[in-house]
């Protein structure tokens, strides 16, 4: 399958510190790609540069084979950051309706998204008064209602309990099956294996591998790793 989004030779520095060094990756249309790496690896910086929120020092982002400048990427992808509380004084219902109106999403999908993420009881509550887990589910609902063909979500499972994580994972898989391409930064290995088709590994601002679990496991074995689990593969390659 051809790449829907291609990142090539992305660099980002803060003075002498290299946050990203020659990062390249591909996101295929209709897949769920997981970005995996330790704390401080550069995951959020990479997402912000790809989304055009943070200017990269060099490198290109192409969508459908065409270079897309940072200021034009919002037409192709929607980026949901982690740990934000937009419109804290507004209700959840207002935020969903505002999102649909602002981005031109399909209003007919609103009831299904509300039911799938179980946020019906939260609709009249103010966003600023939600718990971390409640706010995460609302943010995901906002993201799922946007119309851009590519959705990038930073830590979509953070703050969720085990049951909620499984339900959200199933919702994201169904969302991809309906035709959307997902790029997810995931800290928990179990969530990543359950949801993603392929993975990009990053450490120290550099990509360390890209592929399916089987493809990455083969590379890890070539480097001396013997255990078959994905955690061991990540540890061997990052």
């Amino acid at each position: 399958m051809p790449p829907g989004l291609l990142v090539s030779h992305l660099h980002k520095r803060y003075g002498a510190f290299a946050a990203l060094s020659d990062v390249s990756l591909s996101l295929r249309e209709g897949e769920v790609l997981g970005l995996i790496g330790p704390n401080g690896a550069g995951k959020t910086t990479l997402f912000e540069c790809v989304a055009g929120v943070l200017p990269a020092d060099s490198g290109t982002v192409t969508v459908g084979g065409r270079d897309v400048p940072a200021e034009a990427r919002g037409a192709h992808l929607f980026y949901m950051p982690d740990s934000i509380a937009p419109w804290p004084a507004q209700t959840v219902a207002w935020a969903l309706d505002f999102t649909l109106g602002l981005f031109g999403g399909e209003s007919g999908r609103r009831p299904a998204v509300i039911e799938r993420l179980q946020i019906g009881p939260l609709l009249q509550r103010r966003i600023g008064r939600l718990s971390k887990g409640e706010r995460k589910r609302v943010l995901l609902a906002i993201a799922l209602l946007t119309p851009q063909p590519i959705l990038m979500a930073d830590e979509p499972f953070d703050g969720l309990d085990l049951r909620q994580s499984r339900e959200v994972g199933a919702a994201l898989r169904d969302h991809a099956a309906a035709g959307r391409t997902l790029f997810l930064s995931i800290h928990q290995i179990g969530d990543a294996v359950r949801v993603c088709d392929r993975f990009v590994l990053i450490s120290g601002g550099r990509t360390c591998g890209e592929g399916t679990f089987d493809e990455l496991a083969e590379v890890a074995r070539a480097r001396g790793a013997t255990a078959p689990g994905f955690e061991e593969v990540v540890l061997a390659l990052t």
Side-chain angles (χ1 to χ4, degrees):
M1 186 177 294
L5 181 145
L6 186 65
V7 177
S8 301
H9 308 294
L10 208 63
H11 291 261
K12 179 64 180 178
R13 298 186 69 89
Y14 295 99
F17 174 67
L20 298 174
S21 299
D22 198 31
V23 171
S24 297
L25 60 90
S26 62
L27 175 61
R28 301 170 183 174
E29 291 184 8
E31 78 169 346
V32 182
L33 180 67
L35 180 65
I36 310 295
N39 292 335
K43 299 187 296 295
T44 297
T45 301
L46 174 58
F47 265 35
E48 291 178 347
C49 287
V50 171
V53 176
L54 181 69
D57 296 330
S58 60
T60 61
V61 174
T62 65
V63 178
R66 297 183 178 182
D67 286 358
V68 181
E71 64 272 14
R73 290 175 199 159
H76 303 276
L77 60 88
F78 182 83
Y79 168 50
M80 178 57 72
D82 184 30
S83 301
I84 62 170
W87 315 299
Q90 300 294 340
T91 65
V92 171
W94 181 95
L96 298 182
D97 292 338
F98 181 78
T99 298
L100 287 167
L102 179 63
F103 294 103
E106 298 180 21
S107 59
R109 296 186 56 249
R110 185 181 186 274
V113 169
I114 291 172
E115 181 178 2
R116 191 62 190 271
L117 294 177
Q118 300 179 3
I119 61 171
L122 308 178
L123 290 178
Q124 300 309 315
R125 291 179 58 187
R126 298 186 187 278
I127 292 176
R129 296 184 178 179
L130 300 177
S131 70
K132 184 176 182 180
E134 291 170 339
R135 186 168 66 249
K136 177 63 69 173
R137 285 184 285 137
V138 169
L139 290 175
L140 288 169
I142 289 171
L144 295 185
L145 288 174
T146 57
Q148 292 91 332
I150 299 171
L151 169 60
M152 298 172 58
D154 194 358
E155 298 291 355
F157 300 101
D158 187 41
L160 303 179
D161 61 30
L162 177 60
R163 184 180 301 278
Q164 292 169 343
S165 293
R166 289 181 177 271
E167 292 169 348
V168 166
L172 292 172
R173 287 298 318 175
D174 289 348
H175 197 57
R180 202 167 190 191
T181 303
L182 306 184
F183 190 13
L184 311 176
S185 173
I186 304 176
H187 185 73
Q188 297 295 332
I189 297 297
D191 293 325
V193 171
R194 187 168 56 252
V195 174
C196 300
D197 300 303
R198 295 191 312 122
F199 309 90
V200 172
L201 307 185
I202 185 172
S203 182
R206 296 179 179 272
T207 45
C208 307
E210 178 179 340
T212 64
F213 167 71
D214 290 338
E215 291 168 344
L216 293 172
E218 183 176 351
V219 175
R221 283 192 293 269
R223 297 185 183 181
T226 56
F230 191 58
E231 287 185 359
E232 288 73 20
V233 169
V234 172
L235 289 172
L237 297 181
T238 55

